[in-house]
Amino acid sequence: MFINNFDPVAIEIFSLEIRWYSLAYIVGIFVGWLVAKKIFIKNESISKKFDDYITYIIIGIILGGRIGYILFYNLEYYLGNLIDIFKIWEGGMSFHGGLIGIIIASIIFGKRNNQNPFIYMDIVALVAPIGIFFGRISNFLNSELYGVETKLPWAVKFVKVDNLFRHPSQLYEAFFEGLILFLLLLYF
């Protein structure tokens, strides 16, 4: 059995903290971008535009993820603490909101460039498991989204949560939604 007592801060330089979760976003987007350009994009004009599209995606993920978290999970708090909406360094992102943000950003990008946004969304869908993989690994490091209590030999004790041995559901999701899903998409 494993004990999870990871610090959510990966690197600290003076008072600047770089957290695992932000590194997961950076690495996931960067690796997804490279894989999309090397493997999935065959059209030269799409390839040239894809670099610009990544900027839209980053903005869509951050704004959508934050707004989604506020609306879906903690609206009452943020209605009373409006300034805290902008404190993204304190956490609070939603996968659902990020997905909606990507869709909106893709539509805006498509309209501005007179291109079909579904072409870009298809490419993002193919590399999304890369980002999901890194995101779930950071959820594990942050002791978030843990599973139910278990006595299985691979159970993990989340010290920062409740000292109970639990399923490392984040690692299951990283494996199945990240690695396995990506390999299936690559194959088909």
Side-chain angles (χ1 to χ4, degrees):
M1 295 195 191
F2 183 81
I3 296 176
N4 179 327
N5 195 19
F6 290 103
D7 187 347
V9 177
I11 302 165
E12 187 171 358
I13 303 168
F14 301 111
S15 63
L16 176 67
E17 293 180 342
I18 300 172
R19 296 178 173 264
W20 290 111
Y21 210 69
S22 60
L23 288 176
Y25 273 84
I26 292 165
V27 172
I29 291 168
F30 183 72
V31 173
W33 176 32
L34 292 177
V35 169
K37 295 227 11 159
K38 294 285 185 197
I39 297 175
F40 296 117
I41 300 174
K42 306 296 182 203
N43 182 309
E44 188 63 34
S45 69
I46 300 284
S47 182
K48 287 179 182 177
K49 291 280 186 188
F50 196 75
D51 295 341
D52 296 332
Y53 174 64
I54 290 299
T55 303
Y56 283 73
I57 288 298
I58 293 168
I59 293 168
I61 290 170
I62 294 170
L63 288 179
R66 184 62 171 174
I67 292 168
Y69 176 78
I70 291 164
L71 294 176
F72 301 144
Y73 298 107
N74 221 348
L75 181 60
E76 188 175 321
Y77 171 79
Y78 287 104
L79 286 176
N81 301 282
L82 294 175
I83 290 295
D84 289 354
I85 290 172
F86 303 101
K87 296 180 181 178
I88 60 173
W89 58 89
E90 291 182 0
M93 297 289 279
S94 157
F95 173 84
H96 310 29
L99 176 61
I100 293 167
I102 288 172
I103 292 167
I104 293 169
S106 299
I107 292 168
I108 292 169
F109 181 82
K111 285 187 185 232
R112 285 194 174 172
N113 290 281
N114 291 327
Q115 293 192 326
N116 183 351
F118 291 104
I119 293 169
Y120 294 96
M121 285 188 266
D122 285 347
I123 295 166
V124 168
L126 292 169
V127 296
I130 295 168
I132 292 170
F133 174 82
F134 288 110
R136 293 302 170 241
I137 296 297
S138 67
N139 289 141
F140 178 76
L141 296 173
N142 289 340
S143 298
E144 305 165 334
L145 307 176
Y146 45 83
V148 297
E149 191 175 355
T150 185
K151 295 184 187 303
L152 291 170
W154 59 84
V156 174
K157 182 189 275 189
F158 290 93
V159 174
K160 294 180 181 170
V161 177
D162 56 14
N163 279 321
L164 299 175
F165 284 97
R166 297 178 168 278
H167 280 282
S169 59
Q170 317 92 326
L171 299 181
Y172 302 159
E173 291 176 26
F175 181 73
F176 289 108
E177 295 175 353
L179 184 62
I180 298 298
L181 180 58
F182 178 73
L183 293 174
L184 286 171
L185 290 170
L186 188 60
Y187 176 76
F188 289 109

